[in-house]
Amino acid sequence: MDMLISSSNDGMMIPIPQYPLYSSGLTLRDGVAVPYYLDEANEWGMSVESLQQALDSARAEGTAVKALVVINPGNPTGQLLTYENMAGILEFCAKESIVLFADEVYQTNNYTDDRVWHSFRKVMLDKQLPVQLVSFHSTSKGYYGECGLRGGYFEALNIEPDVIDQVYKLSSMSLCSNLPGQIAVDLMVRPPKESDPSGSLFIQERDSQLTSLRRRAEKLTDALNQLTGISCNPSQGAMYAFPKIELPPKAVAAAKAAGKAPDGFYALNLLDATGICVVPGSGFGQVDGTWHFRTTFLPPEDQMDAVVERIREFHEPFMAKYTSRSLL
């Protein structure tokens, strides 16, 4: 991002909803965030047509769009892109001479039999497309979830060697990551083989964790879809669900009176009543007039039923309260 954003007219295309790191990073560098909207009605898929519209609009306003950010699996939306969708995105980047930033930090967290996760690197090489691609991965995310061991890497393909030299110079200005973080990244990219002394145990623990996450994901989204006014796409990957909530007009009015966004108002009431913390959709961006929240399925599996029940016990009375005639 430091290399790409060199003036206040430079911009990057970012998904809405989005992981706020990208918008805040652009703000820090005085760049322009060019939003494109994921399609909630199509399992948070991406439309090349909407990308083109966002790009054309930004260019018409004088923005020099340098890159497109894609998060796959999605955060906060939890979707997996299809191979065909990814190929279309790469063709768009090649045609428009845009760098593709592929945020793939949840690549191992897949919970559906209908789709297989593919890297943009693989699809690009399959299709032999001349796209400038930067792919990201991290040991702090995914099923490793080593948030205390900050480590990750990026791979740059089809980038001029002189540019890579400048990236190394920028990186050299900072201290290197701590040793445990470096060790964790090495283990992530070179995990134990089945024939290694720890291989069978590693595979058993990995598969057990991912299978448990899949059960928790299905349990949470199924329960959310049974609540009044809530609809939620399946969590195909990552660690999140991003349900839409149809808040009663009186709840929206109460939020306005309290100086809160409606989904923030809901989230704070949920926190006060249950101790469960969710993140309002307004923190990630959303279509105007819609409200969401991001939640995870990370509580221990033997506690998921209790978590779901606490949400239900809060949600139904909350919705009833703000649809009651007594509030007229």
Side-chain angles (χ1 to χ4, degrees):
M1 194 178 287
D2 285 330
M3 299 288 291
L4 286 171
I5 305 301
S6 58
S7 82
S8 59
N9 290 325
D10 292 339
M12 295 176 63
M13 301 178 69
I14 61 174
I16 300 297
Q18 58 110 12
Y19 180 50
L21 170 69
Y22 295 104
S23 57
S24 59
L26 285 165
T27 300
L28 179 65
R29 294 163 178 81
D30 197 27
V32 180
V34 178
Y36 67 89
Y37 286 84
L38 302 179
D39 184 359
E40 185 170 10
N42 189 31
E43 296 182 334
W44 296 113
M46 289 178 62
S47 161
V48 174
E49 291 76 15
S50 68
L51 291 177
Q52 191 69 59
Q53 291 171 3
L55 175 63
D56 292 345
S57 177
R59 285 177 171 170
E61 294 174 358
T63 301
V65 178
K66 300 293 188 70
L68 166 68
V69 175
V70 179
I71 307 173
N72 182 47
N75 178 7
T77 45
Q79 86 283 3
L80 275 174
L81 296 177
T82 65
Y83 185 98
E84 294 74 21
N85 200 175
M86 295 171 71
I89 293 164
L90 285 160
E91 289 167 0
F92 167 81
C93 291
K95 176 173 70 76
E96 299 294 346
S97 298
I98 292 175
V99 179
L100 176 58
F101 280 17
D103 183 334
E104 299 174 336
V105 300
Y106 289 107
Q107 59 187 256
T108 51
N109 293 63
N110 308 314
Y111 312 121
T112 177
D113 296 326
D114 298 331
R115 295 182 186 178
V116 176
W117 181 84
H118 301 283
S119 69
F120 271 100
R121 181 185 192 277
K122 176 185 185 303
V123 180
M124 182 191 74
L125 295 176
D126 285 350
K127 298 295 183 180
Q128 299 182 339
L129 291 167
V131 176
Q132 292 182 305
L133 172 66
V134 183
S135 304
F136 303 92
H137 195 19
S138 170
T139 189
S140 306
K141 307 291 185 179
Y143 72 88
Y144 287 95
E146 294 289 355
C147 298
L149 303 178
R150 309 308 290 182
Y153 68 87
F154 67 86
E155 180 189 27
L157 294 177
N158 298 327
I159 307 293
E160 292 292 332
D162 288 346
V163 175
I164 296 297
D165 288 343
Q166 298 306 312
V167 172
Y168 274 114
K169 285 183 181 180
L170 279 173
S171 299
S172 298
M173 293 168 61
S174 303
L175 297 175
C176 66
S177 61
N178 59 64
L179 182 59
Q182 294 183 53
I183 293 172
V185 171
D186 184 71
L187 290 170
M188 178 180 70
V189 298
R190 294 188 298 180
K193 299 175 183 177
E194 189 171 6
S195 58
D196 291 338
S198 61
S200 60
L201 179 60
F202 169 77
I203 293 169
Q204 175 188 335
E205 291 180 345
R206 178 199 65 193
D207 292 350
S208 174
Q209 176 78 308
L210 290 172
T211 301
S212 174
L213 284 169
R214 177 172 181 163
R215 289 193 297 264
R216 283 179 267 175
E218 292 171 351
K219 178 171 290 188
L220 179 62
T221 54
D222 287 349
L224 289 170
N225 279 316
Q226 295 176 27
L227 298 179
T228 301
I230 285 185
S231 59
C232 186
N233 277 310
S235 293
Q236 300 166 334
M239 295 179 174
Y240 311 106
F242 198 66
K244 179 169 68 174
I245 177 170
E246 302 284 350
L247 290 168
K250 293 185 181 69
V252 175
K256 183 177 180 180
K260 306 292 184 184
D263 46 10
F265 179 75
Y266 176 90
L268 287 171
N269 275 269
L270 174 64
L271 179 62
D272 287 343
T274 68
I276 295 172
C277 181
V278 300
V279 184
S282 47
F284 300 95
Q286 54 198 345
V287 173
D288 287 345
T290 66
W291 311 109
H292 300 77
F293 60 86
R294 188 189 77 169
T295 186
T296 75
F297 34 87
L298 294 179
E301 188 168 6
D302 61 358
Q303 297 178 24
M304 281 301 298
D305 286 332
V307 170
V308 165
E309 181 60 19
R310 284 158 66 191
I311 293 174
R312 187 194 67 77
E313 289 176 350
F314 159 78
H315 177 83
E316 296 300 346
F318 177 91
M319 297 294 282
K321 173 182 177 181
Y322 287 104
T323 55
S324 171
R325 291 182 177 274
S326 63
L327 293 178
L328 291 173

